[in-house]
Amino acid sequence: MNKVTPKDIRYADLAAKRFNKRYMGQPEYICLPRSVDEVLAAVQEAVFNKKRLVVRSGGHCLEGFVADPAVQVLVDMSLMTNVYFDQERFAIVVEAGVTVGEMYRRLFLEWGLVLPAGEHPGIGVGGHILGGAFGFICREYGLAADYLYAVEVVTVDAGGTAVSVIATREETDPNRELWWAHTGAGGGNFGIVTRYWLRSPGASGKDPHLALPQAPVYITTFRVGWDWKDIDQTTFSRLIQNFGNWCAQHSAPDTDYTPLFSILFMNHRNMGKVEIKGVCTGNHAAQLIADHLAAIQEGLSTAGIVQTEESSWLQFALNPFPELFQPGFDQVQAKIKDAYFRKPLTADQIHTAYQYLTANLPIGGLLGMATYGGKVNAVPAEATATAQRDSIMDVACNTGWIDPSREAASLEWIRNFYRDLFPESGGVPVPNEQTDGCMINHPDTDMTQAKWNQSGIAWPLLYYKEHYPRLQKVKKAYDPLNFFHHAMSIEAGD
């Protein structure tokens, strides 16, 4: 087994491999397995020695589940990077150490295919797909988890033995519930994923070119920007209203606008601009984009500056919106708090956003609003562990800092901002007519604290809704010793 200790030249780089620099772990050693057998050995050794173990793929967990000072053993999946076609299961296999960008590259160059997944190419598929996976082309293709045919998981049984289990979506599979749990229940709950088998629902035959959707031929990106100095409160309100209304009108699975996805970045006034960034595929992209932006800008007193660019799918996928991931991105300390919305923001919520985004504070942050729905909403809620299947937007309050002196003010600002968006539901987006909880791939430990979650609703119900009891049964069946756990892991149930 490839084991890295603090004396090894590789240790510092591996220990620092994490997006959110708020957290710092110092495990006793880091394992770099190259096969499922080596994962089994790493887990078995940790069980025998009673060591706290966690797993990491891309290192993009927003909370400190992996970079936890209590962690003693870190299993890093970076060397398990095979992508190949399994003739027996008629599915494309992607190992858990593959990044989203490398998956896009291999799927496209080998077979001309695509899997809808995350926005940043450096994200690891290991912890991404099992949380649902949300990205630029989800409205057109759905979530990555919707294409999961099978998953290989290293678990620990009641006797403390590490075992490898392959679970499929076949109705006759005795491990089907374990497969289902990996279609949206998040990482670190049941075991270590080593491989995914990916196949479109209903696909059959032996031709790998038909296993997943064909990739777009071209993709058109668009950017719109407004100077904050040109935005008054009326313009601010109208812009958010227009965006929310467009999302409400075009979130159904059969909308003509499934090829279009955009994010409205309502940046803090300190950042100088308000922006929209989006993508659209297909032959009618120019018209769809024009119609979208016309609806968003209707009634505004100032017109945004529009830029469009057409590129191949792979060119875009490997370097999407470079300005979002510019130098310094990998040094950020961040806090992100998101919410699913079923209806647009109310006038009171927009007023709250304006107050926080124009506050005279030395912070950087934003309210992000992403179009959602489309083919995501074509899947029944019970079909996967991803419970939210009728939302129109994913909305997030974000803040980030590099200077440690900015941490306290930034955290206070974002926590109060988010709380005040939901004053009638205890400071969180409870499942109701307007909101529908939160995305587990964007975990927020504030939800576990009574100070910030005063809804009276336990945090798991915000993320998993009515699926939670079912997930608890899976936990009890496959991780009865609770060997795999973190600050927001699923607890075993009856």
Side-chain angles (χ1 to χ4, degrees), residues 180 190 460-461 467-478 490-494:
W180 179 84
F190 311 104
L461 302 183
H467 291 339
Y468 191 58
R470 184 175 173 183
L471 291 168
Q472 289 184 289
K473 291 180 180 179
V474 178
K475 176 72 171 180
K476 183 177 182 180
Y478 290 94
I490 292 168
E491 296 182 357
D494 297 329

Side-chain angles (χ1 to χ4, degrees), residues 95-207:
E95 291 188 334
V98 177
T99 64
V100 165
E102 179 62 8
M103 179 185 68
Y104 285 150
R105 190 182 74 85
R106 292 290 297 277
L107 289 178
F108 184 80
L109 294 181
E110 293 264 13
W111 306 288
L113 302 179
V114 71
L115 181 80
E119 298 165 359
H120 179 37
I123 293 171
V125 301
H128 182 57
I129 292 175
L130 57 81
F134 154 68
F136 290 120
I137 54 175
C138 67
R139 283 170 49 84
E140 185 171 10
Y141 297 100
L143 301 175
D146 299 339
Y147 296 84
L148 183 63
Y149 173 74
V151 61
E152 181 179 62
V153 191
V154 171
T155 65
V156 175
D157 66 19
T161 300
V163 294
S164 175
V165 181
I166 294 177
T168 76
R169 68 181 175 216
E170 298 294 340
E171 295 288 347
T172 57
D173 189 337
N175 296 310
R176 190 177 190 276
E177 284 296 279
L178 184 63
W179 161 82
W180 179 84
H182 284 80
T183 60
N189 286 308
F190 311 104
I192 296 179
V193 172
T194 53
R195 288 186 288 179
Y196 293 106
W197 281 260
L198 302 166
R199 190 174 92 191
S200 295
S204 61
K206 297 298 182 181
D207 184 354

